[in-house]
Amino acid sequence: MKKFLVMIVLAVAMIAAPASFAQSSASAKKVFKGTWEQTQSNGDYGEIYSVISLDLYGKTVEGGEDGLCYGTISQFNPNSGRIITGVIITKVKSIAGNKAVVECYDEFQDEKFTASLVYKPNTDTICYEDLCISRKK
């Protein structure tokens, strides 16, 4: 009887171990979750603060009409308060490796469009159009 119980415990452990490893590996691959931000000088606008906040795996980012969305992309001048970019990610169309295709809403242009996000793991950088930002530390 004792051997039987030991065999059952080992069998359960063998089944549970790969499942927990798969979960930890999957969560490690969630590259489209986090905050990326930077401040840079721009000749036309002066100083520009850019921030990309994402969670393409669930609507957890504050923004949009519903209160929560998949992400926001914004740029503004901290000195003047002038907002340059205000984009809300409303839908995730696909995630394949380090590239995601999303549906967005531009608050200032009042238009919907599709965009790509690319994650660069070697620099921990996210790129949206020509804007590439390192992760907030």
Side-chain angles (χ1 to χ4, degrees):
M1 181 71 171
K2 197 173 189 181
K3 280 186 177 182
F4 180 73
L5 288 174
V6 170
M7 289 177 54
I8 289 177
V9 168
L10 286 174
V12 168
M14 290 175 64
I15 292 170
S20 65
F21 176 77
Q23 286 177 343
S24 65
S25 295
S27 62
K29 293 182 182 182
K30 291 187 176 183
V31 297
F32 293 103
K33 183 173 183 174
T35 301
W36 293 260
E37 61 183 81
Q38 75 179 10
T39 302
Q40 67 185 52
S41 295
N42 180 300
D44 295 335
Y45 296 104
E47 191 175 71
I48 302 296
Y49 176 73
S50 304
V51 62
I52 298 175
S53 295
L54 297 176
D55 184 355
L56 298 189
Y57 310 100
K59 284 187 171 185
T60 64
V61 177
E62 288 188 34
E65 292 179 6
D66 299 334
L68 295 176
C69 62
Y70 291 102
T72 59
I73 302 164
S74 55
Q75 292 183 293
F76 64 94
N77 181 315
N79 298 325
S80 69
R82 181 172 183 226
I83 299 171
I84 300 162
T85 304
V87 173
I88 298 168
I89 299 173
T90 58
K91 182 178 181 182
V92 178
K93 293 179 113 179
S94 66
I95 298 175
N98 293 337
K99 184 176 181 182
V101 178
V102 295
E103 284 185 10
C104 302
Y105 173 70
D106 186 320
E107 294 180 294
F108 301 107
Q109 303 294 325
D110 191 29
E111 65 182 14
K112 294 180 182 182
F113 61 95
T114 300
S116 294
L117 295 166
V118 177
Y119 176 72
K120 297 181 179 181
N122 56 337
T123 57
D124 200 12
T125 301
I126 197 84
C127 295
Y128 162 78
E129 294 182 353
D130 60 347
L131 176 65
C132 291
I133 304 176
S134 297
R135 187 182 300 267
K136 177 181 175 180
K137 299 292 181 194

